[in-house]
Amino acid sequence: MSTKICLTLTAPTLRQNLEIVDRYRKYIDIVELRADWLSANEYPYIRSFPKLAGLPCILTVRRQSDGGNFSGGEGARTVLFARGLAFADTDPCKNFSYVDLEEDFQISSIEEVVRGFNIKIIRSLHNMTDAETNLESLIRNLRKGKDEIAKIAFMPKSLSDVTSIFRAAKSCRDEEFTMIAMGPLGIPTRILAPVLGSQIAYCSIPADDPTLYPNLSETREKSNIIGQLDPITLNEVYNFRNISRETEIFGIAGFPLEATLSPILHNKGYKNHGKNAVYIPVRAETIEEIFDFAEETGIKGLSVTHPFKESVISNLEEISEGTGEIGASNTIVKRNNQWYGYNTDFSGFTRALLEFLGVKDLRKMKVAIIGAGGVSRAITLAVKRLKGKACIFNRTPERAKILADIYGFQWAPLEKSSLPKLEKYSDLIIQTTSAGMPPDTGKDPIDFYSFTGAEAVYDTIYVPEKTKMLRRAEQAGCRICNGWTMLKYQAYDQYKLFTGEDYGE
């Protein structure tokens, strides 16, 4: 069975849920009616929902302890299940196609009705606080019969917990199951559900859905916590319906990786070129976990972002000449079972900067480079090769000095006492740190500096579109540019490293 995209419905009325179904129908295969979120006066009409929805439906009444909203006792929950399953019709399209029953909810009368009308049981285990272990054994023990689907959903503590799902799935290919790691760490288990062999990929309505039903803000927040994507993103960004065990996997690795547009760029390229490939976000706190995950999933290439651009190098078999000079790698590719490192930040930034300024080089320009991390290393080399004069400002001045000495540039602490020097090197200000990115969008790394309007200001951040620093610069009359074009151009170079082909525009 191919993986089904299931939209979870949490509006308070059946009518509102049906409106949601109609809005996203073309993106989904089945829907899950979360009766635990319905208003009590809707309970008598649950039975009619499958016929009205016109899609296969899952009936779920989730307890609060399992991440749901049902606060009544088990007796009341049993009655609610019975309402939804009563008077089953000989026409299966008028019945719920699935019912979700937790591992410890074993009511024989409910199960008899379900099996009598070929309604499939999803036998579920939800752990909202910790990771589960012994997954292969859990899958086999959860299923009470071959007509059941085992579902395990847990909250991982690290990427290693997510890796364990992919490892266990390889041993359970004779079973029907769905395995989900919740939260941001677990997003690969949702995008790669067909690779895992999961029967169902659960999703929720988009964050910008126009629906204003009373409880949807709360359920959206819960969806964010558990890491559900929306059906449009699954289809249009990740080309979900084309993913299989034969799909080549690429991705972007970093932490916390709160916001990235790289999947949009890369997956668009694969789609336009008809490639069976997908590019996913991979969050981890250590570089070792990333390589372990890549090994288990068969990832063939990764974009590398904060904080791993420098530390990744010691794990590589070989690096390109430019990568060695910069001392940071933002791209790694696996060939012949070995990892090779490259840096496309340099080329992407150079092209983007010259396009922004409308010049051929930086002669006679005094440039302030804010930050001394992995991105700054590539940008410093670019400024040097473009013949600019620069001063590097960093909160840890020792790091600024080390980088500046390599290229014969000036350096200074990133603090108010360095204001005279920043004013001197202000023809072009390039911001390379993570300050201003989610979740710290209120940060401005040079809040002590007053723009005159004569500066050109470049921020490598692209989410949000305008950081606090860029907004201040724009208000003063400065020319400004965010990191989108740099992201785009370096992604084109990464695409070629991954696939051997030009991206095209």
Side-chain angles (χ1 to χ4, degrees), residues 310-321:
E310 297 164 74
S311 61
V312 73
I313 289 180
S314 62
N315 294 271
L316 304 177
E317 176 71 15
E318 186 178 310
I319 58 175
S320 66
E321 182 179 350

Side-chain angles (χ1 to χ4, degrees), residues 309 312-313 316 318-331 341-344 381:
K309 291 188 178 186
V312 73
I313 289 180
L316 304 177
E318 186 178 310
I319 58 175
S320 66
E321 182 179 350
T323 300
E325 185 175 357
I326 294 166
S329 173
N330 78 322
T331 311
Y342 305 87
N343 193 298
T344 66
L381 174 61

Side-chain angles (χ1 to χ4, degrees), residues 8-76:
T8 298
L9 303 170
T10 57
T13 72
L14 297 178
R15 179 186 61 79
Q16 292 163 343
N17 281 313
L18 289 169
E19 290 174 358
I20 293 172
V21 172
D22 287 339
R23 191 147 57 244
Y24 300 104
R25 187 178 297 274
K26 70 177 181 178
Y27 299 106
I28 59 178
D29 304 301
I30 60 179
V31 295
E32 179 187 36
L33 180 63
R34 288 290 300 271
D36 49 302
W37 283 100
L38 286 174
S39 301
N41 56 8
E42 295 288 308
Y43 292 170
Y45 312 107
I46 291 175
R47 178 69 189 82
S48 65
F49 190 78
K51 179 182 177 181
L52 297 171
L55 284 172
C57 298
I58 303 172
L59 176 61
T60 300
V61 188
R62 186 78 66 223
R63 298 173 294 205
Q64 289 181 337
S65 60
D66 294 314
N69 193 52
F70 193 81
S71 58
E74 290 296 78

Side-chain angles (χ1 to χ4, degrees), residues 121-137:
I121 293 175
I122 299 171
R123 192 72 68 173
S124 62
L125 167 65
H126 292 79
N127 189 332
M128 304 302 296
T129 56
D130 293 304
E132 290 289 339
T133 57
N134 302 316
L135 294 173
E136 181 182 350
S137 176

Side-chain angles (χ1 to χ4, degrees), residues 49 70 98 118 140 175 177 183 234 261 275 336 396 426 437 440 452 498:
F49 190 78
F70 193 81
Y98 309 82
N118 294 317
R140 299 189 189 282
E175 303 282 344
F177 65 84
L234 278 176
L261 297 180
K275 293 191 174 298
N336 301 319
T396 305
S426 62
M437 289 179 63
D440 299 317
T452 66
F498 291 161

Side-chain angles (χ1 to χ4, degrees), residues 114-290:
V114 166
R115 289 196 166 92
F117 286 87
N118 294 317
I119 298 171
K120 198 127 185 170
I121 293 175
I122 299 171
R123 192 72 68 173
S124 62
L125 167 65
H126 292 79
N127 189 332
M128 304 302 296
T129 56
D130 293 304
E132 290 289 339
T133 57
N134 302 316
L135 294 173
E136 181 182 350
S137 176
L138 276 176
I139 287 292
R140 299 189 189 282
N141 291 332
L142 268 177
R143 297 181 71 198
K144 309 304 179 187
K146 292 298 182 182
D147 59 340
E148 294 190 2
I149 299 173
K151 177 188 176 186
I152 297 175
F154 64 76
M155 191 65 72
K157 299 298 184 183
S158 68
L159 184 63
S160 295
D161 295 330
V162 179
T163 303
S164 70
I165 287 183
F166 286 87
R167 189 171 293 122
K170 293 176 181 177
S171 302
C172 294
R173 290 185 174 175
D174 58 333
E175 303 282 344
E176 289 193 31
F177 65 84
T178 292
M179 283 195 281
I180 304 164
M182 295 183 283
L185 285 169
I187 284 179
T189 65
R190 299 183 184 278
I191 300 170
L192 300 179
V195 176
L196 283 168
S198 286
Q199 301 289 293
I200 300 170
Y202 292 85
C203 59
S204 56
I205 63 173
D208 59 354
D209 184 279
T211 304
L212 296 174
Y213 305 141
N215 66 345
L216 283 192
S217 60
E218 182 180 352
T219 57
R220 278 180 186 153
E221 184 177 344
K222 287 194 173 184
S223 294
N224 290 335
I225 292 171
I226 66 175
Q228 280 189 352
L229 299 174
D230 66 82
I232 297 177
T233 296
L234 278 176
N235 282 276
E236 296 189 353
V237 174
Y238 295 104
N239 306 315
F240 182 87
R241 297 189 192 279
N242 294 324
I243 297 175
S244 67
R245 289 189 176 124
E246 287 69 51
T247 298
E248 291 186 314
I249 305 171
F250 302 93
I252 178 167
F255 194 85
L257 206 61
E258 292 280 353
T260 174
L261 297 180
S262 293
I264 295 174
L265 282 167
H266 284 263
N267 288 317
K268 180 181 178 182
Y270 302 145
K271 186 175 182 179
N272 289 346
H273 288 267
K275 293 191 174 298
N276 185 11
V278 66
Y279 181 100
I280 66 171
V282 181
R283 296 168 174 83
E285 293 192 39
T286 70
I287 195 67
E288 291 76 18
E289 287 181 300
I290 290 170

Side-chain angles (χ1 to χ4, degrees), residues 301-368:
L302 286 167
S303 308
V304 180
T305 188
H306 177 81
F308 301 124
K309 291 188 178 186
E310 297 164 74
S311 61
V312 73
I313 289 180
S314 62
N315 294 271
L316 304 177
E317 176 71 15
E318 186 178 310
I319 58 175
S320 66
E321 182 179 350
T323 300
E325 185 175 357
I326 294 166
S329 173
N330 78 322
T331 311
I332 59 174
V333 181
K334 194 171 189 181
R335 299 193 190 98
N336 301 319
N337 213 34
Q338 300 289 344
W339 287 98
Y340 297 83
Y342 305 87
N343 193 298
T344 66
D345 280 336
F346 168 78
S347 57
F349 170 74
T350 300
R351 181 178 173 185
L353 181 68
L354 295 181
E355 186 178 283
F356 163 54
L357 295 175
V359 298
K360 294 182 179 180
D361 58 43
L362 301 180
R363 294 175 191 269
K364 299 181 181 179
M365 291 193 77
K366 291 188 174 180
V367 183

